[in-house]
Amino acid sequence: MANPGILYVTMQPKPGLPIQQFHEWYNNEHGPTRLRLPEIFSNGLRYVATDEEQPTYVAVYDVTSMSHLETETYTSLRANRSSREADTIGQVDVKRYFWDLVTTRQSPLFLPIEQLTDDEAEGIALVSVILEPKGAPGAEAEIQKWYEEEHLEMLSKIPGWLRSRLFKTSSLEKNGAISFIALHDFAKENGLGGPEQRAAMSTPWREEIYAKYATVASRRTYSLFYVFGPAPRDLQNLSKLARASSTFKSPDAKTVTSNDPVPVITSYVTAPDGLSIPYRLEGNPDPKAPTIAFSNSLLTSLHMWDPFVEILKAKRPQYRILRYDFRGRYAIPSPPVPATMEKLSDDLRTLLKALRIPKLDTLIGVSLGGATALRFALTYPDQLDKFIACDFNAAASAANTNAWKDRIAIAEDASQGIGQLAAQTVKRWFLPDTPKQDVVAWLTRMTAANNVQGFKYGCQALWDYDMKAEMRECRVPALLVAGESDGRGVLVKTMEGFKDLLGEKGTELVIVPEAGHLPMCENPDGFWEAVEKFL
């Protein structure tokens, strides 16, 4: 039977520990590691004191069942902590408390804080009160009865009240002493200190409780300033670290954070089916910066955008930039399931949710990524302002499906393999006489590194789809782009054929000269000219 509760952690950095180092470690390593265990932690919230007392910081994690905190899944987090975590936590006065939930009451307007955007959540007020029962018989029961039958009701009348929860010392604590902690959440604008609160604090029953049964051990006030997700995202504090000592690599090597020479986070999120989705976050470190996301072509990695991203960072430094690798780039969960446009769109939504990005400024995709951008705009129109879809088709054909089956056969053939497929594919992407042979070689190596099984099931997203009937209903502004020689010009004609179907009035198709299937690689300057005004 589930026994919900909280892990309540107070923290005071010691003199000598730079505050940005403390926050960067906690936001990019410690918190996300725990939020990657949703079976244990449903959220993680950070608060800063508003009463000028210490400890200055508190973190509250809702725990689905307190017994999980005794499992190896949780205890191994501490046993296998990184050397950086061990060093940093040694410079922080930390106290950890386990509390079991006793009762809760919430406003009809209350939403779980992790479901709010950062703008909505930041500044929520928390009042934390610790009560210690006196030695009178039945003290614990009397305290609980007063809270449930009078105090919570009166607190709910305070303007801005959102939720109140009462907890008691968990059975996981070994010292045997029982205390209560009450956590009260209030909106940023609230009536704390007003007549409703004074009324709640001056009833005869309350006076009796404090005279006979309880002592206030602590009363603290805090403001929420950070909501964890399962994906590291704090570029702001990372950007303030000394470059020479800023680089961190997690023990599993799946997360790297560095400010050398600029702030970059590479990490991963896990899709509901267990798929690992690698991502790279960089650009403007302001957490409120508008975000541009990129979706790759099949067989490439997120690094296919490197040439264009360098231009974008120079021309539009106001943007935060998100790139990720598609389902199919690496190994896929077992049993393997073919990818679909819907699944690829959902993968992007999973990534944005983990990074707590409620809405993209722009989504840019090419080839399979272009089709994914359209699918995402149709399925989740409220999660992006605009999109750019490049060198793709709005529908698949039977001939296209057969071509992909032939390519799978090459990749799986021991005498040919993924290397042979890579050479054939990349040659087809570029102009026959392209002077960019170094780029051809680079993309060939990238393509040859694709997981064969990932390719087999990832490419099936391109087998059987048709979005043309839905395109008229698209309400997200869009731009279509194509390399002038993609498919010897055939794809340009194809895109001209469906551009007028997109939205109420159709959309523009911009042609990039001296480029084939990947204009952002073959002619990045020309691609910038094509998209500059739209951005």
Side-chain angles (χ1 to χ4, degrees):
M1 182 176 178
N3 174 33
I6 57 171
L7 171 61
Y8 186 91
V9 186
T10 63
M11 288 163 286
Q12 184 61 44
K14 297 177 182 178
L17 176 63
I19 194 64
Q20 60 267 25
Q21 181 181 333
F22 167 64
H23 288 315
E24 195 277 328
W25 155 71
Y26 208 74
N27 293 345
N28 284 337
E29 181 184 359
H30 190 83
T33 301
R34 280 137 187 83
L35 268 291
R36 284 178 174 144
L37 303 173
E39 69 277 17
I40 299 178
F41 299 106
S42 55
N43 60 37
L45 312 173
R46 294 192 70 194
Y47 298 86
V48 61
T50 56
D51 54 14
E52 300 183 354
E53 296 183 20
Q54 292 186 352
T56 304
Y57 300 100
V58 65
V60 181
Y61 301 85
D62 278 5
V63 180
T64 58
S65 186
M66 297 300 286
S67 60
H68 288 318
L69 300 183
E70 295 184 302
T71 64
E72 185 179 359
T73 300
Y74 174 68
T75 59
S76 64
L77 295 180
R78 300 186 72 193
N80 300 319
R81 62 175 42 147
S82 70
S83 58
R84 178 181 77 160
E85 174 151 312
D87 176 66
T88 305
I89 209 166
Q91 301 178 69
V92 183
D93 287 326
V94 180
K95 291 184 179 179
R96 299 162 66 251
Y97 303 89
F98 300 130
W99 299 96
D100 293 342
L101 180 65
V102 175
T103 189
T104 184
R105 178 178 293 196
Q106 62 191 42
S107 163
L109 301 178
F110 175 80
L111 286 174
I113 294 173
E114 66 272 18
Q115 294 181 17
L116 304 177
T117 66
D118 286 344
D119 285 342
E120 293 168 335
E122 291 169 7
I124 286 177
L126 177 70
V127 179
S128 172
V129 182
I130 296 179
L131 299 179
E132 293 180 348
K134 295 181 178 180
E140 293 177 27
E142 291 294 334
I143 293 169
Q144 184 174 335
K145 181 179 181 183
W146 166 62
Y147 255 91
E148 293 179 337
E149 296 184 11
E150 180 189 77
H151 196 53
L152 296 184
E153 175 63 26
M154 296 194 73
L155 290 176
S156 72
K157 293 179 169 58
I158 300 173
W161 174 82
L162 297 174
R163 176 179 62 169
S164 290
R165 296 185 290 172
L166 182 67
F167 302 84
K168 69 185 299 184
T169 302
S170 174
S171 58
L172 300 183
E173 298 283 10
K174 306 305 181 186
N175 61 15
I178 297 297
S179 297
F180 289 91
I181 186 170
L183 300 182
H184 309 291
D185 300 300
F186 292 87
K188 305 170 195 180
E189 302 295 329
N190 57 66
L192 288 172
E196 295 84 1
Q197 185 182 18
R198 290 195 293 272
M201 304 291 281
S202 59
T203 68
W205 195 354
R206 180 183 183 276
E207 292 177 1
E208 179 186 5
I209 289 294
Y210 285 111
K212 297 180 179 180
Y213 302 112
T215 299
V216 178
S218 169
R219 185 183 187 278
R220 301 292 311 277
T221 59
Y222 301 93
S223 176
L224 190 148
F225 74 96
Y226 199 84
V227 180
F228 288 125
R233 68 179 192 277
D234 185 3
L235 290 172
Q236 186 174 49
N237 282 293
L238 180 62
S239 71
K240 298 175 183 177
L241 300 185
R243 291 182 180 178
S245 57
S246 66
T247 300
F248 165 74
K249 180 182 287 188
S250 63
D252 62 7
K254 292 183 178 180
T255 296
V256 178
T257 58
S258 180
N259 190 37
D260 188 11
V262 294
V264 176
I265 297 171
T266 58
S267 191
Y268 70 97
V269 301
T270 303
D273 66 351
L275 175 77
S276 182
I277 305 174
Y279 70 88
R280 178 183 175 97
L281 190 67
E282 61 193 309
N284 190 338
D286 186 339
K288 301 186 186 303
T291 303
I292 295 180
F294 293 87
S295 290
N296 321 329
S297 67
L298 188 69
L299 285 169
T300 65
S301 78
L302 57 82
H303 289 290
M304 67 152 286
W305 298 99
D306 284 355
F308 178 71
V309 164
E310 289 307 307
I311 294 173
L312 180 63
K313 287 194 290 188
K315 300 286 189 179
R316 294 288 189 273
Q318 70 267 33
Y319 286 114
R320 183 169 57 171
I321 297 169
L322 172 64
R323 293 183 269 171
Y324 69 102
D325 279 331
F326 262 131
R327 175 182 295 267
R329 173 63 182 173
Y330 302 103
I332 56 177
S334 185
V337 176
T340 63
M341 287 297 168
E342 290 74 18
K343 193 176 291 292
L344 297 179
S345 179
D346 290 345
D347 286 344
L348 176 55
R349 184 171 183 267
T350 294
L351 176 59
L352 297 181
K353 183 179 179 181
L355 287 166
R356 294 188 56 77
I357 298 175
K359 191 172 190 177
L360 292 172
D361 180 279
T362 311
L363 174 60
I364 304 177
V366 62
S367 191
L368 176 59
T372 301
L374 174 58
R375 181 69 270 163
F376 189 83
L378 293 170
T379 306
Y380 303 111
D382 295 330
Q383 292 196 251
L384 73 167
D385 284 333
K386 55 187 179 292
F387 72 97
I388 300 172
C390 314
D391 299 84
F392 80 107
N393 202 333
S397 66
N400 196 45
T401 299
N402 290 330
W404 285 115
K405 291 180 179 179
D406 292 341
R407 291 164 191 162
I408 291 172
I410 293 173
E412 292 184 323
D413 186 339
S415 65
Q416 300 182 78
I418 192 77
Q420 180 66 30
L421 176 65
Q424 294 176 3
T425 300
V426 175
K427 181 179 180 181
R428 189 169 61 250
W429 286 346
F430 282 78
L431 299 173
D433 56 349
T434 183
K436 301 292 184 69
Q437 291 302 315
D438 56 335
V439 179
V440 171
W442 167 59
L443 283 170
T444 301
R445 292 191 299 271
M446 183 187 300
T447 302
N450 206 96
N451 179 273
V452 173
Q453 187 190 51
F455 167 69
K456 177 180 180 179
Y457 288 93
C459 77
Q460 294 186 46
L462 292 166
W463 287 17
D464 184 20
Y465 70 95
D466 190 342
M467 295 180 279
K468 289 184 177 179
E470 302 173 70
M471 289 172 60
R472 186 66 70 195
E473 303 303 318
C474 182
R475 51 190 176 89
V476 181
L479 176 70
L480 302 184
V481 179
E484 68 173 346
S485 298
D486 192 348
R488 301 176 184 267
V490 173
L491 192 58
V492 172
K493 294 179 181 179
T494 299
M495 294 180 72
E496 285 177 341
F498 65 72
K499 69 181 181 67
D500 292 332
L501 300 177
L502 189 57
E504 292 183 3
K505 300 179 180 179
T507 192
E508 181 183 7
L509 172 64
V510 180
I511 309 303
V512 180
E514 300 177 9
H517 190 57
L518 302 181
M520 62 291 301
C521 297
E522 191 166 11
N523 185 2
D525 291 319
F527 185 72
W528 168 249
E529 292 177 7
V531 303
E532 178 182 9
K533 291 182 180 179
F534 188 73
L535 289 178

